[in-house]
Amino acid sequence: MTVVDIHTHVYPPTFMELLRSRTTVPYVRTFPDAPDSSRLIILPGEDDPSTPSTSRGRPIGPEYYDIAQKIAFMDAHKIDISVISLANPWLDFLPAEEAGAAARRINDDVDSICAQHPGRLYAFGTLPLSAPAEVVVEEIERLSKLKYIRGVIIGTSGLGNGLDDPALDPIYAALEKYEQIIFLHPHYGLPASVYGPRANEYGHVLPLALGFPLETTIAVTRMLLSGVWDRFHNLNVLLAHSGGTLPFLAGRIESCIKHDGHLKNHGKTEGRRTVWDILKSNIYLDAVIYSEVGLGAAIQASGSDRLMFGTDHPFFPPLEEDVTEWHSVNANYAAISASFADSPTGEQDVLGNNAVRILKLA
Amino acid sequence: MTVVDIHTHVYPPTFMELLRSRTTVPYVRTFPDAPDSSRLIILPGEDDPSTPSTSRGRPIGPEYYDIAQKIAFMDAHKIDISVISLANPWLDFLPAEEAGAAARRINDDVDSICAQHPGRLYAFGTLPLSAPAEVVVEEIERLSKLKYIRGVIIGTSGLGNGLDDPALDPIYAALEKYEQIIFLHPHYGLPASVYGPRANEYGHVLPLALGFPLETTIAVTRMLLSGVWDRFHNLNVLLAHSGGTLPFLAGRIESCIKHDGHLKNHGKTEGRRTVWDILKSNIYLDAVIYSEVGLGAAIQASGSDRLMFGTDHPFFPPLEEDVTEWHSVNANYAAISASFADSPTGEQDVLGNNAVRILKLA
């Protein structure tokens, strides 16, 4: 049995340099009251001086950039292959004129990291989305020729107006043409106002547990409503965190579309591909959902041939010292095992066979 | 077999008067380009003149306030009992000094409507949440003595700062003391920015399909994180739309709590009641989710003894003329039927027996 982790992040050396050179979000810094602790600040407000020191971004150490630690983590958790990806916020924040070169540098860096561990590492590439569309399209073509690249990771912002922006069409067309899957991953969350005045008391829980999956759900629903998949029948998207909440809400989304007077008057309620169509033929889901309840819905929505194991490493590390096996990883292993108690084949598919087939890892 | 609809709204005559008397959201009005069509405007921006006429609020007719139409709808869909509730935005918008009297007037109005259809109608009461806490507590006590009232419907705003506001504790204490279940229902959705610049093209789909369930999920997670259920072990909450997305995200919520350094440092990761504890002992879910996928997760999260059939009438009406059976209702019936293909008892529980037992309707 092959175990493949398709949701596992790296900040390669070239990207760390970039983060350390900056003084605004996203960046890596220390604080005067904890000068020995580098913190990764990726969300607005995480560096607010009034934020408790333990809530200021997150500690960043070699587990984020030292590939030997990735391999050790894989070994400790019986993971044969990892498909690594740059973590958020990718290159979304770069000025247009810097993005293309940065993407080439980082993608080459990542590809060469994979080459140092043949058979164990593949990667999703990063796109220079703030650059002109033709630069993005060129990078997609270039990525398709890099030996270890198996798709691209992107956030929900697109060119700045979301993934339902028609200006993305040339990029979607290129991804379809070069058969590059999108790994769609959240970063921006929701406006802080929705969490209320006491949100700081709850650490990162609300933005991380809810903001992230809700952002993904909104992004993919906007893609659906704008007809992206009516125009690009072969555009494939792997959704982080088992689709955000898409499997659970798919029925409500369809009901709201079918009952919308405005859409009906514009001829948009019929003749379109439904969310169920997309879930079964364009969307893939990771299995990073930490419960049998959520995983069951994901399996039922997309099919056990479309789910792929992931860890979200190096995020969700154990808080205890000297723990080798991560609770977060074991929670996902346990959910998969319980969901397929009667189907060892299904379990093996989700743990690795699907990834090998879908991402052509063999 | 008894079929009980626990999610079904009414704007009783006293509330319609209030809405018609107003000129800002929420209110009922006509527009110059469609003077014969009364529109219910309940969300900010729905009355923006630039909004397409078919997206301005929703048409409001007697199905919203004529109880004979409710009974006819029940008969057409084989619903024996309805537990009616005021639709959003309830009385959240009233000045403090008006809220108490308005709540008493509307609750008496609703109770007398139920009395005209004995055995067929019960109701959730409405709280004057903008009034001082003692006025709210008095109304809770008064509601507990009204013959047909079986709990209260509230939104996610609470006293204006959300349901994790400690100032709600006297109100939660009163609800617990008088054994009044909360029917928690969304209204405010999410800030419009999350839907992007093209949202108007999609009618009401994004705020309705996503904003509503996400709002509910955030509200209930804030209650959990603030320890409401650690303080009020017997506070019961019925969540609209099968919990928003709570069943699907419960695993991620728990994982984020367990892995939060800030919560751990403050001793808040252990010794608390978990989301799973609450789902099995304080939370009830309606079965208004329009798919077997979502319903399956809801059943697995809370148990088939805690789910209750609902329709969301008069919302989600068929767009075609002369349709007696509503697609939206049949979608929920079908999901329940499919989920309990091997368990007629479970199906009967969800369709009505649970509601009869939990809400003491017999």
Side-chain angles (χ1 to χ4, degrees), chain A residues 192-202 206, chain B residues 156-157 160-166 222:
Chain A
S193 62
V194 303
Y195 304 128
R198 293 162 54 91
N200 263 349
E201 298 175 28
Y202 313 138
L206 289 169
Chain B
T156 62
S157 162
N161 290 314
L163 301 181
D164 54 347
D165 182 355
R222 286 169 59 179

Side-chain angles (χ1 to χ4, degrees), chain A residues 54-55 164 166 194-196 198 202 204 208 214 218 222 241 244 248 252 258-260 262 265 293-294 297 317 319, chain B residues 54 164 166 194-195 198 202 204 208 214 218 222 226 241 244 248 252 258-260 262 265 293-294 297 317 319:
Chain A
T54 46
S55 290
D164 54 347
V194 303
Y195 304 128
R198 293 162 54 91
Y202 313 138
H204 291 297
L208 207 52
L214 306 190
I218 293 168
R222 285 170 59 180
H241 314 119
F248 191 76
R252 184 170 175 89
K258 282 185 198 151
H259 289 90
D260 195 273
H262 179 77
N265 289 350
V293 175
L319 295 181
Chain B
T54 47
D164 54 347
V194 304
Y195 304 128
R198 293 162 55 91
Y202 313 137
H204 291 296
L208 207 53
L214 306 191
I218 293 168
R222 286 169 59 179
S226 69
H241 314 121
F248 191 76
R252 184 170 174 88
K258 283 184 195 151
H259 290 90
D260 194 274
H262 180 77
N265 290 350
V293 175
L319 296 180

